[in-house]
Amino acid sequence: SELATMMDVGVNQVIASCMSLGLFVSINQRLDAETMSVVADEFGYKVEFVSADILEAIEEHEDLPDKVHPRAPIVTVMGHVDHGKTSLLDYVRSTNVIAGEAGGITQHIGAYHVTLEDGRHITFLDTPGHEAFTAMRARGAQVTDIAIIIVAADDDIMPQTKEAINHAQAAGVPIVFAINKIDKPGANPEKIKEGLANLNFLVEEWGGKYQSQDISAKNGTNVAELLEKVLLEAEMLELQANKDRRATGTIVESSLDRGRGYVATMLVQNGTLHQGDIVLAGQYYGHVKAMFNERNQRIQEAGPSEPVIILGLDGAPQAGDKFNVLENEREARVIANKREQLSREQGLRTQKHITLDEIGRRIAIGNFQELNLIVKGDVDGSIEALSDSLIKLSTEEIQVNVIHKAVGAISESDIMLATASDAIVIGFQVRPSLQARRLAEKEEVDIRLYSIIYDAINEIKSAMEGMLSPEI
Ligand code: GDP
């Protein structure tokens, strides 16, 4: 009705237009943004969304090319459990790969920034693992520039190695491989490289495009060389930021400290954060009362790619929440309150994800080009066969991607990946764990279970053709 009024056409015309898209709507129904655009287009209007969502209402202007400078890469370490993530992060944190800083960094604040001997910088996210990485991404935060995938040379490419690779790839984050534990007697780095080649990740030494470095995280052997390769990868990304603007970035972690109040570790991604700034982070805001770096030194400002601890927020935002600096406190309070109200109304619901039933309609509207799937199954052979057939369903209009496939029950990490990549999860002869089911309900991720390959293929095919009969 509102849309009809704005366009000065009859409500019934708008309803009819929706019907032609296969949508049966009532007069006071809220239309989603895409539908609104298509309907308006039909009447010769273009929809412009003016701060449609207060969550996004904060000015995010583009930086002029002459204002930006290179910034340090932000790196996450991922890999199978016990392959050496923590050891690598600890080694880098505490040793003289880092210039001048006697004693290294002793505290864990969720991220740290190191300076190499030649003055270049790297920022590490200190919560290793792809779960943390994808959890942040599921909240809309794309923080990592480069992923180090660590594989122990005395072991094999393990399920979580593959999972980590898939999570990095789904995020479009370039990978550098670290083949660890080369000091161990049974270590066989070549076997790992062969395993990677079998997964279609050919490392440079083997004529491929992936950088890889044999290391010992325990002894520090070749860690400097690994960082060199990370920086090379970073150079190709041409990472840039403008330090002369108000800061924006992401919350890495936060907590309530008895003596100091709310403490948040934030990563500045653009601009410079100053003591005294008014920060809005998720549903909370406040003046930056004090700032500290990862060495627990008090600082006055923090620039792009620098992690800081700040005191002064009136609550603990979630990891992955974005932060902004605003001009005045009133504005920050209004937005924070509005966000709180919205999240209460929506019962903390974040975002609705694609479901199989919805695909036909989205295709009809014409803005659906990629169908992301996660395939879990009981045996490797059937997963491969099913994935291949699903990918072959791709048409000129819609690309079907299997962003992750693995043997095993549907896990929380699968659901997180689905949330972050807007994917549908397919279980073949396997079921979701209880936690996965709960998370899927909360995040509204569509899980489809099959026991016959043909049924799975047929149902996805029908959905893509818009033929799926709605579930009642
Ligand atoms: P994470 O689970 O991936 O964080 O792995 P950790 O860093 O906790 O390492 C698991 C175990 O492997 C620990 O006992 C480490 O001491 C050991 N480890 C890690 N890196 C190396 C290495 O380069 N050489 C040897 N010999 N042991 C290592």
Side-chain angles (χ1 to χ4, degrees):
S1 162
E2 248 175 81
L3 184 61
T5 312
M6 279 193 213
M7 299 191 297
D8 203 15
V9 299
V11 177
N12 287 339
Q13 286 176 272
V14 171
I15 292 180
S17 155
C18 288
M19 248 188 221
S20 70
L21 296 168
L23 274 180
F24 297 86
V25 299
S26 65
I27 284 188
N28 346 324
Q29 186 149 345
R30 277 182 70 90
L31 301 179
D32 59 34
E34 322 135 27
T35 314
M36 226 183 281
S37 299
V38 177
V39 171
D41 191 50
E42 218 168 276
F43 295 96
Y45 288 91
K46 206 172 152 305
V47 179
E48 221 174 282
F49 295 93
V50 185
S51 38
D53 186 352
I54 194 138
L55 305 169
E56 306 297 334
I58 299 155
E59 161 204 29
E60 289 262 3
H61 61 267
E62 284 282 307
D63 289 307
L64 296 169
D66 62 333
K67 288 280 192 192
V68 295
H69 298 282
R71 66 168 177 83
I74 300 167
V75 176
T76 299
V77 181
M78 311 198 250
H80 194 75
V81 64
D82 280 348
H83 278 197
K85 297 179 292 290
T86 313
S87 303
L88 176 60
L89 283 165
D90 284 349
Y91 181 80
V92 174
R93 189 203 329 268
S94 63
T95 54
N96 43 18
V97 187
I98 306 153
E101 296 282 356
I105 308 156
T106 47
Q107 53 173 3
H108 286 256
I109 63 162
Y112 63 85
H113 188 70
V114 295
T115 307
L116 306 190
E117 301 210 2
D118 59 8
R120 288 177 299 170
H121 306 279
I122 303 180
T123 301
F124 282 90
L125 284 176
D126 198 7
T127 35
H130 56 274
E131 293 86 357
F133 168 83
T134 295
M136 270 212 181
R137 207 158 72 78
R139 295 193 62 77
Q142 180 75 289
V143 183
T144 302
D145 299 308
I146 295 169
I148 294 179
I149 305 269
I150 193 163
V151 196
D154 66 337
D155 198 358
D156 261 315
I157 310 255
M158 298 298 279
Q160 283 179 56
T161 314
K162 289 188 200 160
E163 204 167 297
I165 292 174
N166 291 341
H167 281 229
Q169 288 236 303
V173 171
I175 293 172
V176 174
F177 290 102
I179 301 181
N180 190 29
K181 306 199 187 183
I182 54 164
D183 59 291
K184 280 191 137 181
N188 185 356
E190 294 309 302
K191 190 182 96 185
I192 301 298
K193 287 168 205 168
E194 189 185 331
L196 290 173
N198 290 337
L199 292 175
N200 279 328
F201 289 88
L202 210 53
V203 300
E204 270 187 339
E205 283 173 82
W206 287 35
K209 64 171 181 176
Y210 291 92
Q211 301 202 69
S212 131
Q213 180 65 53
D214 297 354
I215 62 162
S216 165
K218 193 171 158 198
N219 303 336
T221 317
N222 295 343
V223 171
E225 284 78 0
L226 172 66
L227 300 188
E228 191 54 48
K229 289 184 175 170
V230 167
L231 283 164
L232 200 67
E233 200 69 44
E235 246 172 61
M236 292 192 273
L237 294 173
E238 296 185 8
L239 305 167
Q240 292 183 314
N242 173 6
K243 60 181 176 30
D244 298 319
R245 59 179 278 172
R246 281 188 267 162
T248 59
T250 302
I251 301 294
V252 177
E253 50 182 58
S254 67
S255 59
L256 179 58
D257 182 293
R258 242 192 246 163
R260 301 191 292 177
Y262 290 99
V263 179
T265 299
M266 323 203 297
L267 192 59
V268 178
Q269 291 174 278
N270 205 2
T272 299
L273 183 68
H274 305 270
Q275 173 155 349
D277 279 351
I278 298 153
V279 170
L280 170 72
Q283 304 173 23
Y284 305 103
Y285 74 101
H287 282 273
V288 179
K289 273 197 251 157
M291 304 207 300
F292 300 88
N293 65 15
E294 63 281 271
R295 293 175 172 78
N296 210 14
Q297 294 157 333
R298 211 140 166 193
I299 51 175
Q300 297 298 317
E301 55 175 46
S305 295
E306 286 178 19
V308 281
I309 296 183
I310 72 154
L311 308 185
L313 289 178
D314 66 349
Q318 273 186 276
D321 276 341
K322 295 196 184 78
F323 81 81
N324 295 82
V325 168
L326 299 187
E327 206 150 355
N328 69 67
E329 191 166 337
R330 205 188 63 83
E331 193 186 3
R333 183 176 346 113
V334 169
I335 300 179
N337 289 344
K338 191 82 192 168
R339 284 178 173 175
E340 204 215 314
Q341 183 192 341
L342 270 175
S343 91
R344 228 183 311 122
E345 279 170 14
Q346 298 175 347
L348 278 173
R349 202 169 64 195
T350 38
Q351 189 193 345
K352 194 166 183 313
H353 297 289
I354 188 74
T355 62
L356 216 47
D357 302 319
E358 216 180 43
I359 292 174
R361 187 177 68 78
R362 293 272 300 269
I363 293 169
I365 293 171
N367 70 346
F368 190 70
Q369 277 123 21
E370 277 191 296
L371 172 58
N372 289 337
L373 300 174
I374 293 171
V375 180
K376 296 297 290 276
D378 58 343
V379 284
D380 217 26
S382 45
I383 295 167
E384 291 298 328
L386 178 57
S387 302
D388 283 351
S389 312
L390 291 171
I391 291 167
K392 284 202 193 110
L393 293 177
S394 298
T395 61
E396 244 168 60
E397 289 80 38
I398 304 151
Q399 173 71 41
V400 179
N401 303 316
V402 173
I403 59 169
H404 177 56
K405 56 180 180 206
V407 174
I410 297 163
S411 67
E412 265 182 295
S413 140
D414 296 327
I415 305 299
M416 252 185 301
L417 181 61
T419 309
S421 300
D422 205 11
I424 290 171
V425 183
I426 293 181
F428 180 71
Q429 303 270 31
V430 292
R431 311 190 63 77
S433 68
L434 184 64
Q435 292 92 329
R437 192 190 302 275
R438 286 205 184 118
L439 187 62
E441 261 165 35
K442 177 166 159 262
E443 298 288 344
E444 298 188 38
V445 166
D446 196 6
I447 300 179
R448 297 280 171 150
L449 304 175
Y450 302 95
S451 48
I452 298 170
I453 289 193
Y454 174 82
D455 286 347
I457 298 165
N458 228 15
E459 197 159 300
I460 306 285
K461 187 157 175 274
S462 310
M464 287 172 64
E465 288 166 353
M467 306 284 284
L468 200 68
S469 44
E471 268 178 70
I472 316 250

